[in-house]
Amino acid sequence: MSAQKPRVLAIIGQGYVGLPLAMAAVGAGWTVIGVDSFDAKVAQINGGSSPVEDISDAQLQVAIAKGVYKATADYSAVSQASVITICVPTPLDEKKEPDLTLLRSAATSISPYVSNETLVVSESTSYPGTLRDIIIPIVNSLKPKDSLTVYFASAPERVNPGDPVWNQKNTPRLVGAIDKESQRRALIFYESICDAAVGVSSPEVAEAAKLLENTFRLVNIALVNEFTQLCSASGINVHEVIDAASSKPYGFMPFRPGVGVGGHCIPIDPLYLTWWARQNGAKATFVESADSINNAMPKYVADRALSMVDSSIKNPKILILGVAYKPGVGDVRETPVSELRDYLKAQGADVAWHDPLVPIWEGSIPVKLDWNCDVAILATNQPGMNLTQLIVKGIQILDCTNSISGRVGVSSL
Ligand SMILES: NC(=O)c1ccc[n+]([C@@H]2O[C@H](COP(=O)([O-])OP(=O)(O)OC[C@H]3O[C@@H](n4cnc5c(N)ncnc54)[C@H](O)[C@@H]3O)[C@@H](O)[C@H]2O)c1
């Protein structure tokens, strides 16, 4: 007998993707079960404290109080759901190849509790074929005998944490399903949450489109990072060049240089693409080259900062401002600032950091902005950093964010 109820959604993984999806679904009238394998996170969420910046404690508390949202580590709760979405991390392993351990584990854990006629959707980013070749065989082999029909689709998440404009509701959602009925159900589901759902012909098209979107960003960031180094060597301000090129109304899109790329997506997803290419006997040369250029940026930034220090100072004191991978979030996953710090230290620098949104980073705690330094590097322009106090003190700053260019003592990347 099926235990599933209409308009009950189970979301596996309550992180940057899963929790905002949960609140968007609650807003659209769904009752949501948020499953997460990390007990401490479940306790935090059920205590009304949001672990992600895009969801306020108040929003979470209202949903919990109304009884339309609950987090749990107990997978059996998914038996009540008519739709299950998988939103777990898809990182790289030590060989920089796709690590689908958590995705396989999520698929394995839901399988005994999938009811008949449930729609299972993967939102996690992965290479084409992940839904068809990995998730579906796991679920079909482990599902209960009376769950005769299970529907499957891929709908890669496009959320941009910290973005005040684009969110789950107003960002069109790609939907590619395994068959017509799965597609019909998946489109109905996403149309109930998002303003627009865009159907594509297969899960593989949706999976590949997600990789293309993020690889597009990776290669354009790499292009501008390389271009910055060329301009800087010739004494040209790259930001003025980008602004000038942006006056062209078609065929150009501005990207800005920086310390590198970070977060769960841009440094990782393109490597799913390069790996997938290799599996198919091909080589994604252009993407691999872009990855190398971005990976070399922390060293370039460190060398630029060290060149600003009086050469008589053997162990310069360097303050890094902003360590999260982008402004407005406390997310330090894959932040290129780790490489920057390590390289500076290897050159003998005494390095400290400040970030109002990051209380602890790789075992170290932040210093205050008045920490006495020879040079400061503005790596991520976090809200809440009073940089004027450094400028007034006459501290030299290497601005990697183009936020305070033109101020006295400030050099642009
Ligand atoms: N963060 C982003 O900006 C973003 C944007 C688009 C897509 N994505 C993709 O979405 C997926 C999820 O990313 P995220 O940033 O939300 O990750 P996250 O680390 O913020 O959250 C994932 C959550 O899943 C939980 N989890 C891990 N394995 C689990 C399992 N087997 N069962 C239940 N819970 C499990 C973790 O405890 C964690 O709370 C990834 O594939 C990522 O590439 C992320």
Side-chain angles (χ1 to χ4, degrees):
M1 281 289 286
S2 171
Q4 76 160 215
K5 298 175 189 150
R7 289 184 86 76
V8 173
L9 165 66
I11 303 176
I12 315 304
Q14 291 296 278
Y16 281 91
V17 163
L19 192 57
L21 175 69
M23 292 303 113
V26 161
W30 287 77
T31 295
V32 179
I33 303 155
V35 181
D36 202 288
S37 53
F38 186 23
D39 288 326
K41 189 177 256 187
V42 169
Q44 178 187 350
I45 293 174
N46 284 336
S49 167
S50 170
V52 300
E53 293 84 2
D54 288 345
I55 299 300
S56 69
D57 292 350
Q59 188 180 2
L60 188 57
Q61 286 161 12
V62 168
I64 294 169
K66 280 186 179 163
V68 289
Y69 173 78
K70 190 176 189 295
T72 179
D74 178 4
Y75 274 93
S76 68
V78 308
S79 63
Q80 301 165 40
S82 58
V83 180
I84 302 171
T85 62
I86 301 177
C87 306
V88 299
T90 42
L92 298 170
D93 64 16
E94 62 289 342
K95 289 192 289 184
K96 297 240 165 209
E97 293 183 352
D99 178 357
L100 298 185
T101 311
L102 299 174
L103 193 66
R104 287 176 200 275
S105 149
T108 304
S109 302
I110 61 168
S111 296
Y113 307 108
V114 169
S115 303
N116 193 34
E117 302 226 305
T118 299
L119 170 66
V120 175
V121 186
S122 178
E123 296 205 3
S124 292
T125 306
S126 188
Y127 54 84
T130 300
L131 180 80
R132 196 184 299 270
D133 299 339
I134 294 176
I135 296 175
I136 293 178
I138 291 173
V139 175
N140 279 342
S141 66
L142 298 175
K143 69 185 183 186
K145 285 198 174 54
D146 57 359
S147 293
L148 296 176
T149 307
V150 179
Y151 303 104
F152 292 98
S154 169
E157 177 57 65
R158 288 169 153 173
V159 74
N160 186 21
D163 190 326
V165 177
W166 296 106
N167 51 48
Q168 250 102 353
K169 182 160 187 339
N170 63 8
T171 305
R173 179 68 76 123
L174 291 182
V175 176
I178 201 76
D179 53 38
K180 276 193 178 150
E181 184 56 17
S182 297
Q183 181 79 343
R184 190 185 73 78
R185 289 175 181 243
L187 284 171
I188 290 171
F189 169 64
Y190 282 103
E191 280 163 359
S192 78
I193 294 175
C194 309
D195 293 345
V198 180
V200 295
S201 64
S202 69
E204 288 76 15
V205 170
E207 290 162 335
K210 173 70 190 182
L211 294 190
L212 176 62
E213 290 165 18
N214 283 356
T215 305
F216 173 85
R217 288 184 59 195
L218 179 97
V219 300
N220 279 289
I221 292 167
L223 171 64
V224 85
N225 278 336
E226 184 172 73
F227 197 77
T228 297
Q229 298 177 48
L230 302 177
C231 284
S232 174
S234 299
I236 298 170
N237 182 321
V238 73
H239 295 287
E240 194 182 347
V241 177
I242 297 167
D243 290 343
S246 300
S247 66
K248 185 179 177 183
Y250 59 90
F252 183 80
M253 186 184 282
F255 284 80
R256 298 283 168 180
V259 182
V261 289
H264 191 313
C265 298
I266 308 302
I268 293 174
D269 303 349
L271 299 192
Y272 272 62
L273 181 63
T274 56
W275 179 87
W276 179 62
R278 289 198 297 278
Q279 301 316 296
N280 294 318
K283 192 167 193 279
T285 314
F286 183 54
V287 183
E288 287 183 4
S289 175
D291 186 47
S292 309
I293 291 168
N294 289 330
N295 288 341
M297 278 311 281
K299 177 179 180 309
Y300 173 75
V301 170
D303 287 339
R304 283 280 304 271
L306 291 169
S307 74
M308 293 163 70
V309 179
D310 189 317
S311 56
S312 65
I313 302 173
K314 287 278 167 291
N315 302 105
K317 292 170 80 97
I318 301 197
L319 174 60
I320 301 177
L321 304 165
V323 300
Y325 80 93
K326 70 173 182 177
V329 298
D331 191 350
V332 291
R333 287 179 296 178
E334 309 291 328
T335 176
V337 184
S338 294
E339 297 286 323
L340 172 64
R341 176 206 52 204
D342 293 348
Y343 186 77
L344 288 166
K345 282 187 168 176
Q347 303 307 304
D350 179 5
V351 185
W353 61 278
H354 175 87
D355 189 317
L357 296 183
V358 181
I360 185 160
W361 175 46
E362 295 179 9
S364 76
I365 54 169
V367 296
K368 295 215 171 87
L369 272 182
D370 61 4
W371 191 73
N372 197 19
C373 65
D374 298 302
V375 167
I377 302 172
L378 179 54
T380 303
N381 190 20
Q382 289 287 35
M385 290 197 298
N386 178 9
L387 301 175
T388 305
Q389 81 180 73
L390 291 167
I391 294 167
V392 169
K393 261 174 79 183
I395 303 283
Q396 292 193 83
I397 303 176
L398 175 60
D399 177 11
C400 305
T401 67
N402 195 33
S403 319
I404 50 172
S405 300
R407 307 282 297 268
V408 177
V410 175
S411 303
S412 280
L413 196 60

